[in-house]
Amino acid sequence: MHSLFRATHGTTRRALLAGGLAATVAMSLAACGSGDDDSITGGGVGTAEKPVSIRMIANDAFARQWQEQMVPEFNKAYPNIKVTIDGVPYGDLLAKEMLELTAPEPTYDIVVADDPWIPQLAKTGGLADLKGDLGAFTKSDYDWDDFNAAPLAAGEWQGKQYAVPLRSNLLLMFYNKTLYAKAGLPEPTPALTWQQYLEQAPKLVQDTNGDGKTDAWAVGTYFTRDPLTPTIWQTILNSNGGQILDDDNRPAFNTPAGVAALQTHVDLLKYAPPGAATYQFNEPLEAFRQGKTATMFMWGSVYRGTAIDPKTTTLKPEEVGIQVMPVGSLGAGAHRGMWTGAVAKKSKQAEAAWALLQWLSSKQGEKWQVNTLGVFPARKSTLSSTPEQAWLTPVFKAITDGYAAVEKGKMWRPKLPESDAIQQILATQHSLAISGQVTPAQALQNAEDEINKLLKSKGY
Amino acid sequence: MPITTQTAAGSASAPPIAPAVPSPRRRPIGHRLRDLGSRWLFLAPALAILVAVLAYPLFYTVQISFSELDLATFTPARNVGWLNYRTVLDDPGFLNSLRVTGVYLALALPLQMVLGFGIAFLLNVEWRGRGVLRSLFLIPMVVVPVVAGGVWKMLLDPMWGFVNYLLGLVGLGPVDWLADPTLAMVSLVLIDTWRWTPFVVLIASAGLMSLPGDVFEAARVDGAGWFATLRRITLPLLAPVILAAFIVRWLGAVKMFDIALAATKGGPGQATDVVNLYIYEKAFRGLEFGTASSMATLVLAITMLLTFLFLRLNRFLEKRW
């Protein structure tokens, strides 16, 4: 009764807070409630007579694809689990998941989270420990050790495994072989350094049709004010041995190497198309697919739509190369960006939810997903297998190299509940530097001060 | 209802005759209480909804602004007094967002008022096709703000955008509208003006149509020219309407959020980081619900104060003319 009161009380207050903010600043906020029931009920995986239903919240970029193609495949193995997947735009997903997980009876049994969100979501107490809470429901042939360490670590926080990799992703370097040839430059290799890249970049800004006007540029990537924009700088910094936070969670990026890395990112803008300062995800992708940029630093999972699918690209498979990002003093660069799946602790169908996540991240499920949907794998066995489609072979090589680089350089966003807040601070200061309002050194000093203030207020 | 009808009829036809039904003041107390009770009864559902969805959440936000919110339970963990407010007033980002919002309001509102009333004057003159144009003017108002921001972002793109294509035809550009801090604010104002000027046109048209014709007739007879009529009659008579339109737009503009989010995300840097966007990011990205609530409360207080002043000015203008 007490917990019911607390839960209901929490619901009202959360709704009120959201409503209040909405009323005062006219924003649309939604809210639910909270509760802290620690019990995990299995709920079974359903029978023909009594099927079970589970609901998943995921990014709208792939929710529909999963609903239409993955769920029927999953139902071949588990015919009595009905799965509904709701797609939410990336920008709203974290807030919605936070509110859902703290509700007394969350709508969703499964939450699909981006790489740095797990600590923040886990801190609410709303995620089940897959190895602990749900260990009894784990299939005996589910091979944890087969995962590459870097992608599996994305779902881990404070010694507990809250999520498993469902759609792996890495920041990689795409290049247009035709534009390199027209510029008279050799195709990049994984040994390409940042210095060499920047030396070549001016030649990749070119007039390809001879009309006297520049119509192709060197690079497209994130430049706008966005939490993902600093990942480019972070990768350059990581590949030179730098880190965002040290082992004591104190800012460690405000160093000459950090400033130089940010200057490199700022310099890239000189060789980017007009308007690139506002580039986020879609814009550099479109520019590359239209043959306007010779290279693109982007999430590798866009490869299929960039090189293979004629409905979404003007490029041909043989024109597009993919590899790790250029090399710094430590090694090559990449940046981890896993979509991981977690089970809501208060789910009434936790067993069925975990069954879906296990199937999707199993050796069998992952291979199906890679070969059918072109999704990037996290398992060593998948990466060492021969893909059914030839275009995946160079992609597998880039992913394997990428995982090695990620592990070596710890190339991920800070693993703290405050990760998103830190990225936001970095994004703002980054944008100030890219738009020339402050120098890279000033931007990093400001970012360091703000992050210190934030972490201090959180008791670090 | 019968009371009103009879009183009105009585006053129109035979003023000295006493009304058939006593006035509310003279009615028996029981009757008055019943009348009062029935009025409150009808008002009660609306009041209950208002209290539930507006007043109570508002007070709860104020409560949160003095608390530290426990994310695990989403309830105030402990009272922190004025700490959140001190943090907010010491936050250069928040102060910058207030400044940015002030600049945006100072640019957007006068522009929308001048354009809106100007277009209303044009539409008020009889000419062929004005009905079609009036209907077309309504389109931007029904476009979802996020869509408006996204579409304009595409239109303003230096490489693919239609605006720069047009500029290119006359040898100008390309202009990097959203990447330059000053131009980004200008772009935001233009997008918002495109979207909301039709609203001002609607109010202004209604105001213009309600102006008394005999006054203009008398002015014409007295030989007043177009400009003199505008300056001495139209504008003074329209002043309360102009201020009313301004207040409605002010209340709408101060909520600016979606367009900035879709078009610039508050950038470059913090050039278009309007206060609502800042509060949203503080709350839902930074999870600083306590300080975000303090910011929201402060913004509410500032908005209420300024709205009160505008309303007083409106009353003054109504009395003056």
Tab-separated table of all heavy atoms in Angstrom, chain A residues 155-200:
chain	number	residue	atom	x	y	z
A	155	GLY	N	26.850	-1.574	-22.874
A	155	GLY	CA	25.662	-1.888	-22.077
A	155	GLY	C	25.973	-2.145	-20.619
A	155	GLY	O	25.088	-2.560	-19.865
A	156	GLU	N	27.213	-1.920	-20.236
A	156	GLU	CA	27.639	-2.234	-18.866
A	156	GLU	C	27.834	-0.939	-18.069
A	156	GLU	O	28.256	0.075	-18.601
A	156	GLU	CB	28.949	-3.033	-18.951
A	156	GLU	CG	29.511	-3.484	-17.632
A	156	GLU	CD	30.528	-2.503	-17.056
A	156	GLU	OE1	31.107	-1.738	-17.855
A	156	GLU	OE2	30.702	-2.477	-15.830
A	157	TRP	N	27.483	-0.984	-16.794
A	157	TRP	CA	27.736	0.170	-15.919
A	157	TRP	C	27.867	-0.307	-14.483
A	157	TRP	O	27.031	-1.086	-14.008
A	157	TRP	CB	26.618	1.210	-16.025
A	157	TRP	CG	26.911	2.477	-15.256
A	157	TRP	CD1	27.994	3.292	-15.417
A	157	TRP	CD2	26.120	3.063	-14.223
A	157	TRP	NE1	27.913	4.350	-14.547
A	157	TRP	CE2	26.774	4.241	-13.801
A	157	TRP	CE3	24.918	2.714	-13.625
A	157	TRP	CZ2	26.268	5.074	-12.808
A	157	TRP	CZ3	24.414	3.546	-12.627
A	157	TRP	CH2	25.083	4.705	-12.229
A	158	GLN	N	28.914	0.122	-13.861
A	158	GLN	CA	29.205	-0.223	-12.468
A	158	GLN	C	29.114	-1.727	-12.217
A	158	GLN	O	28.468	-2.197	-11.275
A	158	GLN	CB	28.263	0.538	-11.524
A	158	GLN	CG	28.561	2.032	-11.535
A	158	GLN	CD	27.838	2.802	-10.453
A	158	GLN	OE1	26.809	2.369	-9.962
A	158	GLN	NE2	28.369	3.957	-10.097
A	159	GLY	N	29.711	-2.469	-13.135
A	159	GLY	CA	29.831	-3.916	-12.951
A	159	GLY	C	28.590	-4.722	-13.306
A	159	GLY	O	28.583	-5.942	-13.145
A	160	LYS	N	27.552	-4.061	-13.782
A	160	LYS	CA	26.337	-4.792	-14.154
A	160	LYS	C	26.061	-4.644	-15.645
A	160	LYS	O	26.271	-3.567	-16.214
A	160	LYS	CB	25.139	-4.273	-13.355
A	160	LYS	CG	25.212	-4.640	-11.884
A	160	LYS	CD	23.978	-4.178	-11.146
A	160	LYS	CE	24.063	-4.603	-9.680
A	160	LYS	NZ	22.956	-4.070	-8.883
A	161	GLN	N	25.591	-5.726	-16.246
A	161	GLN	CA	25.290	-5.711	-17.676
A	161	GLN	C	23.808	-5.386	-17.856
A	161	GLN	O	22.952	-6.229	-17.652
A	161	GLN	CB	25.621	-7.077	-18.302
A	161	GLN	CG	25.638	-7.074	-19.818
A	161	GLN	CD	26.835	-6.302	-20.385
A	161	GLN	OE1	27.931	-6.398	-19.877
A	161	GLN	NE2	26.602	-5.525	-21.438
A	162	TYR	N	23.533	-4.141	-18.222
A	162	TYR	CA	22.143	-3.713	-18.340
A	162	TYR	C	21.594	-3.872	-19.755
A	162	TYR	O	20.387	-3.837	-19.946
A	162	TYR	CB	22.011	-2.245	-17.926
A	162	TYR	CG	22.194	-2.015	-16.446
A	162	TYR	CD1	23.364	-1.459	-15.941
A	162	TYR	CD2	21.194	-2.369	-15.548
A	162	TYR	CE1	23.527	-1.254	-14.582
A	162	TYR	CE2	21.355	-2.171	-14.191
A	162	TYR	CZ	22.521	-1.612	-13.706
A	162	TYR	OH	22.672	-1.412	-12.358
A	163	ALA	N	22.482	-3.991	-20.731
A	163	ALA	CA	21.998	-4.021	-22.114
A	163	ALA	C	22.957	-4.814	-22.993
A	163	ALA	O	24.125	-5.019	-22.638
A	163	ALA	CB	21.870	-2.598	-22.645
A	164	VAL	N	22.430	-5.273	-24.115
A	164	VAL	CA	23.266	-6.009	-25.077
A	164	VAL	C	23.251	-5.275	-26.420
A	164	VAL	O	22.268	-4.609	-26.756
A	164	VAL	CB	22.760	-7.458	-25.278
A	164	VAL	CG1	23.139	-8.310	-24.086
A	164	VAL	CG2	21.275	-7.510	-25.534
A	165	PRO	N	24.326	-5.402	-27.191
A	165	PRO	CA	24.389	-4.683	-28.470
A	165	PRO	C	23.368	-5.248	-29.472
A	165	PRO	O	23.304	-6.453	-29.671
A	165	PRO	CB	25.811	-4.959	-28.979
A	165	PRO	CG	26.548	-5.557	-27.834
A	165	PRO	CD	25.548	-6.174	-26.934
A	166	LEU	N	22.578	-4.348	-30.052
A	166	LEU	CA	21.586	-4.773	-31.047
A	166	LEU	C	21.923	-4.251	-32.436
A	166	LEU	O	21.699	-4.925	-33.431
A	166	LEU	CB	20.191	-4.268	-30.657
A	166	LEU	CG	19.646	-4.739	-29.308
A	166	LEU	CD1	18.245	-4.181	-29.085
A	166	LEU	CD2	19.608	-6.263	-29.237
A	167	ARG	N	22.399	-3.048	-32.496
A	167	ARG	CA	22.810	-2.474	-33.781
A	167	ARG	C	24.119	-1.736	-33.513
A	167	ARG	O	24.118	-0.634	-32.964
A	167	ARG	CB	21.760	-1.484	-34.314
A	167	ARG	CG	20.418	-2.107	-34.641
A	167	ARG	CD	19.425	-1.064	-35.062
A	167	ARG	NE	19.674	-0.601	-36.418
A	167	ARG	CZ	19.001	-1.031	-37.488
A	167	ARG	NH1	18.023	-1.913	-37.357
A	167	ARG	NH2	19.284	-0.574	-38.682
A	168	SER	N	25.183	-2.337	-33.902
A	168	SER	CA	26.491	-1.746	-33.631
A	168	SER	C	26.783	-0.641	-34.634
A	168	SER	O	26.286	-0.663	-35.761
A	168	SER	CB	27.574	-2.819	-33.723
A	168	SER	OG	27.279	-3.843	-32.808
A	169	ASN	N	27.573	0.281	-34.181
A	169	ASN	CA	27.916	1.376	-35.075
A	169	ASN	C	29.241	1.986	-34.664
A	169	ASN	O	29.623	1.933	-33.490
A	169	ASN	CB	26.832	2.454	-35.060
A	169	ASN	CG	26.600	3.035	-36.426
A	169	ASN	OD1	27.441	2.867	-37.323
A	169	ASN	ND2	25.489	3.704	-36.602
A	170	LEU	N	29.913	2.539	-35.637
A	170	LEU	CA	31.202	3.189	-35.394
A	170	LEU	C	31.319	4.387	-36.308
A	170	LEU	O	30.834	4.354	-37.448
A	170	LEU	CB	32.352	2.230	-35.745
A	170	LEU	CG	32.576	1.008	-34.854
A	170	LEU	CD1	33.504	0.033	-35.552
A	170	LEU	CD2	33.171	1.419	-33.521
A	171	LEU	N	31.973	5.424	-35.811
A	171	LEU	CA	32.319	6.517	-36.719
A	171	LEU	C	33.468	6.029	-37.585
A	171	LEU	O	34.507	5.597	-37.064
A	171	LEU	CB	32.779	7.746	-35.927
A	171	LEU	CG	31.721	8.736	-35.449
A	171	LEU	CD1	32.401	9.866	-34.686
A	171	LEU	CD2	30.895	9.300	-36.595
A	172	LEU	N	33.281	6.088	-38.888
A	172	LEU	CA	34.313	5.611	-39.819
A	172	LEU	C	34.526	6.653	-40.915
A	172	LEU	O	33.803	7.645	-40.981
A	172	LEU	CB	33.887	4.275	-40.431
A	172	LEU	CG	33.785	3.084	-39.455
A	172	LEU	CD1	33.123	1.891	-40.125
A	172	LEU	CD2	35.162	2.684	-38.911
A	173	MET	N	35.492	6.382	-41.757
A	173	MET	CA	35.790	7.296	-42.864
A	173	MET	C	35.288	6.668	-44.171
A	173	MET	O	35.669	5.556	-44.524
A	173	MET	CB	37.293	7.533	-42.954
A	173	MET	CG	37.703	8.392	-44.132
A	173	MET	SD	39.509	8.657	-44.099
A	173	MET	CE	39.767	9.460	-45.673
A	174	PHE	N	34.417	7.401	-44.846
A	174	PHE	CA	33.959	6.994	-46.175
A	174	PHE	C	34.752	7.808	-47.197
A	174	PHE	O	35.041	8.980	-46.948
A	174	PHE	CB	32.476	7.319	-46.357
A	174	PHE	CG	31.539	6.473	-45.535
A	174	PHE	CD1	31.449	6.638	-44.161
A	174	PHE	CD2	30.726	5.535	-46.138
A	174	PHE	CE1	30.570	5.867	-43.399
A	174	PHE	CE2	29.853	4.755	-45.395
A	174	PHE	CZ	29.778	4.919	-44.027
A	175	TYR	N	35.067	7.219	-48.326
A	175	TYR	CA	35.709	8.033	-49.358
A	175	TYR	C	35.200	7.677	-50.736
A	175	TYR	O	34.799	6.542	-51.014
A	175	TYR	CB	37.241	7.942	-49.289
A	175	TYR	CG	37.810	6.543	-49.392
A	175	TYR	CD1	38.192	6.002	-50.629
A	175	TYR	CD2	37.997	5.775	-48.239
A	175	TYR	CE1	38.719	4.731	-50.711
A	175	TYR	CE2	38.519	4.493	-48.322
A	175	TYR	CZ	38.876	3.976	-49.564
A	175	TYR	OH	39.380	2.707	-49.644
A	176	ASN	N	35.175	8.697	-51.582
A	176	ASN	CA	34.683	8.568	-52.949
A	176	ASN	C	35.901	8.371	-53.859
A	176	ASN	O	36.687	9.308	-54.077
A	176	ASN	CB	33.909	9.848	-53.318
A	176	ASN	CG	33.328	9.791	-54.712
A	176	ASN	OD1	33.947	9.285	-55.640
A	176	ASN	ND2	32.127	10.335	-54.846
A	177	LYS	N	36.042	7.160	-54.384
A	177	LYS	CA	37.242	6.823	-55.174
A	177	LYS	C	37.323	7.656	-56.449
A	177	LYS	O	38.408	8.019	-56.905
A	177	LYS	CB	37.220	5.333	-55.509
A	177	LYS	CG	37.291	4.436	-54.274
A	177	LYS	CD	37.156	2.966	-54.635
A	177	LYS	CE	37.098	2.101	-53.373
A	177	LYS	NZ	36.869	0.676	-53.660
A	178	THR	N	36.161	7.961	-57.021
A	178	THR	CA	36.157	8.747	-58.268
A	178	THR	C	36.743	10.145	-58.032
A	178	THR	O	37.553	10.638	-58.830
A	178	THR	CB	34.714	8.874	-58.800
A	178	THR	OG1	34.155	7.562	-58.859
A	178	THR	CG2	34.675	9.501	-60.164
A	179	LEU	N	36.314	10.768	-56.929
A	179	LEU	CA	36.804	12.127	-56.644
A	179	LEU	C	38.288	12.118	-56.280
A	179	LEU	O	39.015	13.059	-56.607
A	179	LEU	CB	35.970	12.775	-55.538
A	179	LEU	CG	34.527	13.133	-55.924
A	179	LEU	CD1	33.775	13.739	-54.739
A	179	LEU	CD2	34.501	14.108	-57.108
A	180	TYR	N	38.745	11.067	-55.630
A	180	TYR	CA	40.180	10.961	-55.334
A	180	TYR	C	40.962	10.841	-56.637
A	180	TYR	O	42.020	11.469	-56.809
A	180	TYR	CB	40.463	9.761	-54.416
A	180	TYR	CG	40.569	10.157	-52.954
A	180	TYR	CD1	39.425	10.284	-52.160
A	180	TYR	CD2	41.806	10.435	-52.365
A	180	TYR	CE1	39.515	10.660	-50.841
A	180	TYR	CE2	41.903	10.819	-51.036
A	180	TYR	CZ	40.750	10.928	-50.267
A	180	TYR	OH	40.847	11.320	-48.963
A	181	ALA	N	40.432	10.037	-57.560
A	181	ALA	CA	41.116	9.850	-58.845
A	181	ALA	C	41.165	11.163	-59.623
A	181	ALA	O	42.188	11.529	-60.208
A	181	ALA	CB	40.407	8.764	-59.645
A	182	LYS	N	40.027	11.898	-59.611
A	182	LYS	CA	39.984	13.173	-60.340
A	182	LYS	C	40.967	14.181	-59.751
A	182	LYS	O	41.500	15.029	-60.457
A	182	LYS	CB	38.569	13.754	-60.291
A	182	LYS	CG	37.652	13.119	-61.321
A	182	LYS	CD	36.323	13.807	-61.403
A	182	LYS	CE	35.492	13.125	-62.511
A	182	LYS	NZ	34.089	13.461	-62.455
A	183	ALA	N	41.176	14.097	-58.451
A	183	ALA	CA	42.123	15.014	-57.797
A	183	ALA	C	43.564	14.539	-57.960
A	183	ALA	O	44.501	15.225	-57.542
A	183	ALA	CB	41.774	15.136	-56.319
A	184	GLY	N	43.739	13.358	-58.551
A	184	GLY	CA	45.081	12.819	-58.734
A	184	GLY	C	45.723	12.355	-57.447
A	184	GLY	O	46.957	12.361	-57.319
A	185	LEU	N	44.901	11.949	-56.508
A	185	LEU	CA	45.422	11.500	-55.203
A	185	LEU	C	45.244	9.989	-55.060
A	185	LEU	O	44.280	9.421	-55.586
A	185	LEU	CB	44.676	12.199	-54.067
A	185	LEU	CG	44.927	13.697	-53.906
A	185	LEU	CD1	43.920	14.303	-52.926
A	185	LEU	CD2	46.351	13.955	-53.415
A	186	PRO	N	46.150	9.353	-54.335
A	186	PRO	CA	45.979	7.917	-54.090
A	186	PRO	C	44.805	7.680	-53.139
A	186	PRO	O	44.502	8.544	-52.304
A	186	PRO	CB	47.300	7.510	-53.425
A	186	PRO	CG	47.804	8.758	-52.790
A	186	PRO	CD	47.361	9.891	-53.669
A	187	GLU	N	44.180	6.542	-53.293
A	187	GLU	CA	43.066	6.226	-52.387
A	187	GLU	C	43.582	6.112	-50.959
A	187	GLU	O	44.684	5.601	-50.740
A	187	GLU	CB	42.422	4.899	-52.789
A	187	GLU	CG	41.477	5.030	-53.953
A	187	GLU	CD	40.857	3.688	-54.319
A	187	GLU	OE1	40.770	2.806	-53.436
A	187	GLU	OE2	40.478	3.523	-55.491
A	188	PRO	N	42.794	6.559	-49.994
A	188	PRO	CA	43.237	6.449	-48.598
A	188	PRO	C	43.400	4.982	-48.181
A	188	PRO	O	42.768	4.093	-48.746
A	188	PRO	CB	42.081	7.067	-47.813
A	188	PRO	CG	41.282	7.819	-48.787
A	188	PRO	CD	41.479	7.177	-50.117
A	189	THR	N	44.260	4.791	-47.225
A	189	THR	CA	44.415	3.463	-46.614
A	189	THR	C	44.238	3.638	-45.106
A	189	THR	O	44.281	4.770	-44.610
A	189	THR	CB	45.816	2.888	-46.870
A	189	THR	OG1	46.761	3.670	-46.105
A	189	THR	CG2	46.186	2.913	-48.339
A	190	PRO	N	44.058	2.555	-44.361
A	190	PRO	CA	43.923	2.698	-42.892
A	190	PRO	C	45.153	3.321	-42.237
A	190	PRO	O	45.093	3.699	-41.084
A	190	PRO	CB	43.717	1.250	-42.427
A	190	PRO	CG	43.106	0.561	-43.602
A	190	PRO	CD	43.765	1.171	-44.804
A	191	ALA	N	46.261	3.449	-42.998
A	191	ALA	CA	47.467	4.055	-42.420
A	191	ALA	C	47.499	5.573	-42.615
A	191	ALA	O	48.413	6.259	-42.135
A	191	ALA	CB	48.702	3.430	-43.055
A	192	LEU	N	46.501	6.124	-43.314
A	192	LEU	CA	46.468	7.576	-43.574
A	192	LEU	C	46.463	8.347	-42.249
A	192	LEU	O	45.664	8.070	-41.361
A	192	LEU	CB	45.186	7.917	-44.347
A	192	LEU	CG	44.967	9.392	-44.681
A	192	LEU	CD1	45.834	9.813	-45.860
A	192	LEU	CD2	43.504	9.658	-45.003
A	193	THR	N	47.367	9.324	-42.146
A	193	THR	CA	47.420	10.119	-40.907
A	193	THR	C	46.597	11.396	-41.081
A	193	THR	O	46.284	11.812	-42.208
A	193	THR	CB	48.864	10.526	-40.565
A	193	THR	OG1	49.344	11.390	-41.607
A	193	THR	CG2	49.772	9.308	-40.429
A	194	TRP	N	46.286	12.054	-39.968
A	194	TRP	CA	45.542	13.319	-40.027
A	194	TRP	C	46.350	14.373	-40.779
A	194	TRP	O	45.802	15.167	-41.543
A	194	TRP	CB	45.200	13.807	-38.622
A	194	TRP	CG	43.942	13.185	-38.097
A	194	TRP	CD1	43.826	12.267	-37.114
A	194	TRP	CD2	42.606	13.426	-38.582
A	194	TRP	NE1	42.508	11.908	-36.938
A	194	TRP	CE2	41.735	12.616	-37.825
A	194	TRP	CE3	42.059	14.238	-39.575
A	194	TRP	CZ2	40.352	12.599	-38.023
A	194	TRP	CZ3	40.683	14.224	-39.772
A	194	TRP	CH2	39.842	13.414	-39.005
A	195	GLN	N	47.656	14.345	-40.552
A	195	GLN	CA	48.507	15.328	-41.231
A	195	GLN	C	48.441	15.141	-42.748
A	195	GLN	O	48.274	16.108	-43.501
A	195	GLN	CB	49.942	15.175	-40.732
A	195	GLN	CG	50.822	16.338	-41.161
A	195	GLN	CD	52.262	16.174	-40.685
A	195	GLN	OE1	52.547	15.393	-39.790
A	195	GLN	NE2	53.151	16.918	-41.298
A	196	GLN	N	48.545	13.876	-43.178
A	196	GLN	CA	48.455	13.608	-44.624
A	196	GLN	C	47.084	13.989	-45.160
A	196	GLN	O	46.962	14.555	-46.243
A	196	GLN	CB	48.719	12.114	-44.886
A	196	GLN	CG	50.161	11.703	-44.663
A	196	GLN	CD	50.304	10.179	-44.614
A	196	GLN	OE1	49.349	9.445	-44.345
A	196	GLN	NE2	51.514	9.701	-44.857
A	197	TYR	N	46.082	13.682	-44.375
A	197	TYR	CA	44.722	13.989	-44.823
A	197	TYR	C	44.552	15.495	-45.046
A	197	TYR	O	44.009	15.940	-46.061
A	197	TYR	CB	43.692	13.484	-43.807
A	197	TYR	CG	42.277	13.823	-44.193
A	197	TYR	CD1	41.589	13.072	-45.143
A	197	TYR	CD2	41.630	14.937	-43.655
A	197	TYR	CE1	40.305	13.398	-45.529
A	197	TYR	CE2	40.337	15.281	-44.034
A	197	TYR	CZ	39.688	14.492	-44.965
A	197	TYR	OH	38.413	14.829	-45.364
A	198	LEU	N	45.024	16.270	-44.065
A	198	LEU	CA	44.874	17.733	-44.179
A	198	LEU	C	45.719	18.306	-45.311
A	198	LEU	O	45.380	19.336	-45.901
A	198	LEU	CB	45.215	18.408	-42.852
A	198	LEU	CG	44.175	18.190	-41.744
A	198	LEU	CD1	44.678	18.684	-40.399
A	198	LEU	CD2	42.847	18.867	-42.085
A	199	GLU	N	46.825	17.644	-45.615
A	199	GLU	CA	47.644	18.089	-46.763
A	199	GLU	C	46.927	17.813	-48.087
A	199	GLU	O	47.029	18.589	-49.035
A	199	GLU	CB	48.993	17.356	-46.744
A	199	GLU	CG	49.976	17.928	-45.713
A	199	GLU	CD	51.184	17.012	-45.479
A	199	GLU	OE1	51.355	16.023	-46.229
A	199	GLU	OE2	51.918	17.292	-44.521
A	200	GLN	N	46.197	16.717	-48.131
A	200	GLN	CA	45.496	16.348	-49.366
A	200	GLN	C	44.187	17.124	-49.549
A	200	GLN	O	43.716	17.310	-50.678
A	200	GLN	CB	45.176	14.842	-49.351
A	200	GLN	CG	46.396	13.957	-49.456
A	200	GLN	CD	46.021	12.480	-49.305
A	200	GLN	OE1	44.908	12.134	-48.947
A	200	GLN	NE2	46.980	11.606	-49.602
